[in-house]
Every structure is written in structure tokens, then in C-alpha cells.
Amino acid sequence: MTGDEDVSPGWAAVALAEVDQSTAAVREHSGWVRRALIAYGMASLVFFPAGGLVHGFWAVVIGVIWGVFLVSVVFYALPQRVLVRGFRRVYLRATLWWTALWLAGTAIGHLLFADRVAYWVPAGVVVALPMFAAAARSR
Amino acid sequence: MTEHPRHQLDAVIHSPIRLSIVACLAAADKAEFAFVRDTVEVSDSVLSRQITLLVEAGYVKARKGYVGKRPRTWLSLTAAGRSAYGKHLAALTAIARLPVKDEADV
């Protein structure tokens, strides 16, 4: 600072407004994160129960569709130009919870509630929750 | 007598373009060069020059990569950059809160 620049309250207010503008632009272009997490949660609502209730040939078909979905999410995320602050932490935490719930839910389901819709559908909602929570936090 | 908050302004971030760049990167974990260029509304060469200054100051990290066959440059703030930006923002906020009559004294 040379000391001869304009550092008046008015100047500072304009600078702060420009800061807000830049921050808003990042938030506006980070909506894809929320959309991807919601899609992940919605897919879990379908694929988790399907994994426990469908057998044989159709289980393989569902497995392939699940794989295609996961690859699609990756291809959707790759060309995005900005990653909002804190996303990595939120995503990592959500993925850890999601994986733990999926594995525990599957183990419990196959051991104690094989082919019971009354277990697999509500359990699918529980498995999807971390992704919906992460989507809500990414607003 | 307390020191005027202008002394807390960061000389590197003080430039309006660099402030916009840093503000953009502060809201992101990382952002692509082209995204920052479009957000700050400058040309590639102007942004490139400003990024070089910020990298030399240790405030910004630039990482080159590819998405498919397309080259991409990802920009992110370093811990030093985030800290300097926080202090600069605090100084700006303090200046903005000063009574308007102080303007003549500045």
C-alpha cells in the first residue's frame, strides 16, 4: 500500500460487493453438486431394495444398470468447471456413511429379512439419507 | 489512537482484478481457469498475468490436467492465500464500517 490510493468506506463497500458477486457466481455454477447427490440418493432408493429383492437374470440386469448409472454420474461431474468450497469433505463423509449403511443393510437383510419388502424398501430410504443430507448441505 | 484498517489491506490482493480472482477461488475448492476468466470478465492473457503474480506470492496453486483430450488448468487458493484473503476481507469490512466523515481524512 502506497497510502495514496482511495481506501474510503465507499470504495471498500464497492470492493465487498464485487466479492459477493464472485462468491455468488461460484454458488450459481455449483448446483451440479446438489443435482448429482440427489440423483445418487434417488438411485439408492431403487437399487438397494432391488439388490435384495430381485434374483437371477434380473439381478444381473439391475447390477449392470447400477454400473451404468455410476459411470454416468462420473461423466456428468468430470466436465464441471467449479467445485464449491467444502464439497470434498461433505462428499467423503456422505460416501463413508452411505457405504457403511449399504454394507450393513445388505448383510442384515440377507441374514434376517431375505425377500421381505417391508425391510428392503425402508432400509433403502435409510441408505439414501447420507446423500440427501449432503445435497441439503451443498445448497 | 488505533491504526487505520487500511494498513491491514494485503498489497497483492488489493488490485480489483486480483481481489475478484481470489474471492472466486475462496468460494471454491478448485475452479477451472476458464470459469475464473468468465466470472472475473477478463481476457486469457490478463488472467494469466494476474495468476502468475498470485502464484509467485504463494496465494494460488495452478494445476494442469486433462479432461478427455482437452487440457485444463485448475486453480485453487493455498492456505496462505486463504489466510491473506481473510485478513484483507476483514480490513475491507472495517473500512466500509468507518463513518463517512473519515473519507476526508484518508
Side-chain angles (χ1 to χ4, degrees):
Chain A
M1 301 291 301
T2 58
D4 53 1
E5 297 101 327
D6 175 16
V7 284
S8 64
W11 164 83
V14 169
L16 287 170
E18 282 168 10
V19 164
D20 287 343
Q21 215 175 330
S22 292
T23 306
V26 171
R27 293 215 164 275
E28 191 186 324
H29 287 85
S30 296
W32 70 271
V33 164
R34 201 161 49 86
R35 287 191 289 276
L37 290 169
I38 288 171
Y40 214 103
M42 298 292 276
S44 301
L45 288 177
V46 175
F47 289 109
F48 180 82
L53 297 171
V54 180
H55 306 288
F57 171 76
W58 290 108
V60 175
V61 171
I62 283 169
V64 170
I65 296 171
W66 180 226
V68 169
F69 168 79
L70 293 177
V71 172
S72 308
V73 173
V74 170
F75 274 92
Y76 173 65
L78 270 180
Q80 303 298 336
R81 306 196 304 162
V82 64
L83 201 57
V84 72
R85 175 98 177 121
F87 169 73
R88 281 196 196 108
R89 195 174 54 247
V90 168
Y91 176 72
L92 190 68
R93 198 173 295 170
T95 304
L96 286 174
W97 273 105
W98 179 87
T99 306
L101 288 169
W102 182 291
L103 293 175
T106 302
I108 292 168
H110 283 302
L111 285 172
L112 305 173
F113 303 103
D115 297 327
R116 283 201 217 162
V117 176
Y119 168 80
W120 287 95
V121 172
V125 175
V126 174
V127 168
L129 280 178
M131 290 302 167
F132 290 136
R137 286 201 65 185
S138 301
R139 278 174 167 267
Chain B
M1 195 177 149
T2 55
E3 192 182 49
H4 192 285
R6 72 171 180 274
H7 297 295
Q8 303 304 316
L9 290 170
D10 187 286
V12 178
I13 304 176
H14 188 56
S15 135
I17 293 177
R18 288 197 291 276
L19 175 61
S20 292
I21 294 168
V22 172
C24 179
L25 294 178
D29 273 348
K30 62 177 184 177
E32 198 198 329
F33 182 93
F35 173 80
V36 179
R37 177 200 63 203
D38 296 346
T39 303
V40 180
E41 297 176 348
V42 290
S43 65
D44 282 354
S45 60
V46 168
L47 180 60
S48 190
R49 212 162 37 240
Q50 301 301 330
I51 291 297
T52 302
L53 285 168
L54 288 165
V55 168
E56 282 171 357
Y59 289 178
V60 167
K61 191 169 70 182
R63 189 173 57 81
K64 290 185 189 297
Y66 285 87
V67 174
K69 288 181 179 175
R70 289 186 177 180
R72 295 270 183 104
T73 301
W74 289 96
L75 304 170
S76 58
L77 271 193
T78 62
R82 212 165 274 287
S83 164
Y85 173 68
K87 287 175 188 162
H88 188 82
L89 214 53
L92 278 180
T93 306
I95 293 170
R97 284 181 186 155
L98 288 175
V100 176
K101 64 182 169 67
D102 271 19
E103 282 193 47
D105 304 331
V106 174

